[in-house]
């Protein structure tokens, strides 16, 4: 069985399991995910399905990869040293793992790899599954004006807390996925409330 052949496998909900970010080639994210799942790993690709409407054809659901070149892999223990080299040899479609952005180091003085908590993975899933608007990932650039801290109280993002940003007269709900990226989606001001302690601009 795959679980016996792969000691780093961690089932859903197993205490101690952590998510790591495997770097793969663009346009191979879903194929890489499926290979890992076939081997018994829990793997996830951040995708969003949107319905595309055409003038003379039926609406068609299309699945988009929102965080390109990355596959999230859950492991109960991360391979080290020779075991890591063996892992890459048996998974040639994975080029590396995302390093810790805080530049932490292991007990051997080598750069550590980023560990993504379950709660962050769930946030990514929620925001991609709960809205029919396009969700984009990336830190807002200088063209955005950062506003208040808000909570979505209506609509598909209800219950999520984030930061309001503005660009070209449109308002965006921004959610920071710590250690990973920012997700942003256009939102109506009627669907949000200002959180206490946030300064209105």
């Amino acid at each position: 069985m795959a679980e016996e052949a792969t000691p780093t496998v961690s089932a859903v909900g197993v205490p101690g399991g952590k998510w790591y970010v495997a770097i793969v080639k663009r346009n191979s994210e879903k194929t890489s995910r499926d290979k890992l799942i076939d081997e018994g790993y829990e793997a996830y690709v951040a995708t969003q399905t949107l319905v595309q409407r055409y003038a003379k054809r039926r609406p068609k659901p299309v699945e988009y990869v929102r965080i390109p070149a990355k596959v999230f892999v859950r492991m109960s223990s991360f391979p080290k040293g020779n075991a890591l080299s063996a892992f890459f040899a048996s998974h040639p479609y994975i080029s590396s793992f995302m390093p810790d952005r805080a530049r932490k180091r292991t007990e051997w003085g080598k750069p550590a790899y980023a560990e993504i908590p379950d709660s962050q993975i769930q946030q990514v899933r929620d925001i991609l599954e709960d809205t029919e608007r396009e969700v984009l990932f990336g830190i807002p650039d200088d063209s955005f004006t950062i506003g208040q801290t808000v909570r979505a109280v209506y609509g598909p993002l209800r219950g999520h807390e984030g930061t309001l940003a503005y660009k070209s007269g449109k308002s965006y709900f921004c959610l920071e996925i710590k250690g990973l990226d920012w997700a942003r989606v256009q939102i109506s001001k009627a669907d949000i409330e200002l959180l206490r302690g946030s300064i209105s601009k």
Side-chain angles (χ1 to χ4, degrees), residues 51-138:
V51 176
Q52 294 296 322
R53 304 185 184 280
Y54 305 95
K56 298 182 179 180
R57 291 187 291 170
R58 291 182 179 180
K60 179 183 178 181
V62 180
E63 185 182 38
Y64 298 93
V65 173
R66 291 307 188 203
I67 304 181
K70 295 180 176 65
V71 178
F72 299 95
V73 187
R74 190 174 184 183
M75 300 180 179
S76 56
S77 61
F78 191 81
K80 302 179 179 66
N82 292 335
L84 182 58
S85 298
F87 178 90
F88 286 130
S90 60
H91 301 81
Y93 51 91
I94 297 177
S95 60
S96 62
F97 283 91
M98 190 176 80
D100 192 301
R101 289 187 175 180
R103 299 188 180 279
K104 295 180 181 178
R105 292 187 172 270
T106 66
E107 56 194 281
W108 298 280
K110 295 184 178 181
Y113 293 105
E115 299 174 357
I116 310 299
D118 281 339
S119 59
Q120 298 291 304
I121 296 295
Q122 192 58 50
Q123 279 187 310
V124 173
R125 290 181 188 269
D126 286 347
I127 198 169
L128 288 173
E129 294 174 2
D130 290 350
T131 180
E132 295 179 355
R133 291 180 178 271
E134 182 181 31
V135 178
L136 298 176
F137 284 80

Side-chain angles (χ1 to χ4, degrees), residues 108-180:
W108 298 280
K110 295 184 178 181
Y113 293 105
E115 299 174 357
I116 310 299
D118 281 339
S119 59
Q120 298 291 304
I121 296 295
Q122 192 58 50
Q123 279 187 310
V124 173
R125 290 181 188 269
D126 286 347
I127 198 169
L128 288 173
E129 294 174 2
D130 290 350
T131 180
E132 295 179 355
R133 291 180 178 271
E134 182 181 31
V135 178
L136 298 176
F137 284 80
I139 298 175
D141 57 32
D142 293 340
S143 64
F144 285 86
T145 299
I146 304 301
Q148 308 98 323
T149 302
V150 297
R151 178 188 292 115
V153 292
Y154 300 107
L157 295 176
R158 182 175 58 188
H160 290 285
E161 296 181 4
T163 301
L164 194 63
Y166 306 92
K167 180 179 181 180
S168 302
K170 298 178 181 179
S171 55
Y172 293 84
F173 181 89
C174 299
L175 178 67
E176 182 181 7
I177 312 299
K178 293 184 179 178
L180 184 61

Side-chain angles (χ1 to χ4, degrees), residues 172-198:
Y172 293 84
F173 181 89
C174 299
L175 178 67
E176 182 181 7
I177 312 299
K178 293 184 179 178
L180 184 61
D181 218 327
W182 284 67
R184 67 179 183 273
V185 59
Q186 191 176 341
I187 196 169
S188 169
K189 287 186 177 181
D191 291 341
I192 58 176
E193 67 176 4
L194 182 65
L195 289 182
R196 183 177 301 177
S198 180

